[in-house]
Amino acid sequence: MSEPGGLQGSTLPVLEKPTQETGPGPAGPADHRFWSARRVPAGVVAALLLVVSAAFLYDVAAVRTHRSAMAWRRGLARQLAERPLDDIWVLVGAGVAAALGLWLIVLAVTPGLRAVLPMSRTHPDVRAGLHRDAAALVLRDRAMEVAGVQSVRVRTSRRKADVRALSHFRDLDDVHADLDAVLTDAIRGLGLVRPLGLSLHVRRPGKKG
């Protein structure tokens, strides 16, 4: 049996063809990570802004037509006018607003899509990326071809492949050497911009019972 780190979703490479507005990116090792669309945070922020803006617009329009302002806006204005800046609720509200603002800034300046590893370009107009689970599956399959390997567990991060193998026969040093050679070649064959580092551990299976 093997455990490639929990294979979920599609394991096919991600392809991206730049539009005319962005133009083709630089080829070779200058490729960077793929940027996430951030649809969920953007949708949540847009929905909140829509609700708040609609509420204020409705209330302002009501006041302009000589109707009294809604109770929630009068209460909010009174609280803002009367509460001191060192009030606990003012400080809590300011902290929450600052945390949300910082979160949105981090989302805006970071790429996201940590599970997609950029691949080297073979064509200047096309970018390709390999999902980390797919890379783990490839390394697992290659490791299982080595004689003496009973099972393999592979976990991949952005920079490293952690491989833990069980060997039920052959000398452990020989199995380790063969795995190191096979996996090094397999990592090179993935065609990543930044090849993964290899962390390899080989041991005997534990006794049952």
Side-chain angles (χ1 to χ4, degrees):
M1 297 294 293
S2 59
E3 301 179 29
L7 191 60
Q8 298 179 352
S10 175
T11 59
L12 296 176
V14 176
L15 300 179
E16 178 183 274
K17 187 171 183 179
T19 61
Q20 293 181 353
E21 288 79 4
T22 58
D31 286 334
H32 299 291
R33 283 165 49 195
F34 289 82
W35 279 78
S36 171
R38 312 288 194 190
R39 292 185 178 89
V40 173
V44 170
V45 172
L48 290 176
L49 290 177
L50 178 63
V51 171
V52 173
S53 300
F56 274 102
L57 181 62
Y58 175 83
D59 195 52
V60 170
V63 172
R64 291 292 184 179
T65 57
H66 306 291
R67 298 173 60 183
S68 60
M70 299 181 70
W72 66 266
R73 192 161 75 92
R74 294 198 305 269
L76 178 61
R78 184 174 61 255
Q79 292 291 337
L80 292 176
E82 296 176 355
R83 282 187 181 271
L85 294 180
D86 58 352
D87 183 82
I88 183 63
W89 290 110
V90 174
L91 296 178
V92 170
V96 171
L100 290 176
L102 181 61
W103 176 60
L104 293 176
I105 291 174
V106 170
L107 291 180
V109 301
T110 55
L113 292 183
R114 298 174 62 88
V116 179
L117 304 173
M119 301 175 68
S120 300
R121 292 190 183 187
T122 58
H123 192 281
D125 293 335
V126 179
R127 290 187 66 200
L130 185 65
H131 199 280
R132 290 193 332 220
D133 287 343
L137 184 61
V138 171
L139 298 180
R140 189 282 310 268
D141 290 344
R142 290 294 303 274
M144 290 296 296
E145 297 174 358
V146 175
V149 174
Q150 182 182 34
S151 65
V152 181
R153 181 179 180 181
V154 181
R155 294 186 182 275
T156 54
S157 63
R158 287 176 51 207
R159 296 182 176 86
K160 185 177 70 172
D162 183 24
V163 182
R164 298 180 182 273
L166 297 180
S167 175
H168 56 306
F169 71 91
R170 295 183 66 201
D171 183 76
L172 289 182
D173 290 338
D174 293 341
V175 176
H176 189 285
D178 289 349
L179 279 173
D180 184 76
V182 167
L183 293 174
T184 299
D185 180 69
I187 290 173
R188 188 183 305 114
L190 294 177
L192 301 177
V193 172
R194 298 175 180 85
L196 299 172
L198 177 61
S199 175
L200 176 61
H201 304 273
V202 183
R203 63 180 178 88
R204 296 293 186 200
K207 293 183 179 181
K208 296 183 179 181

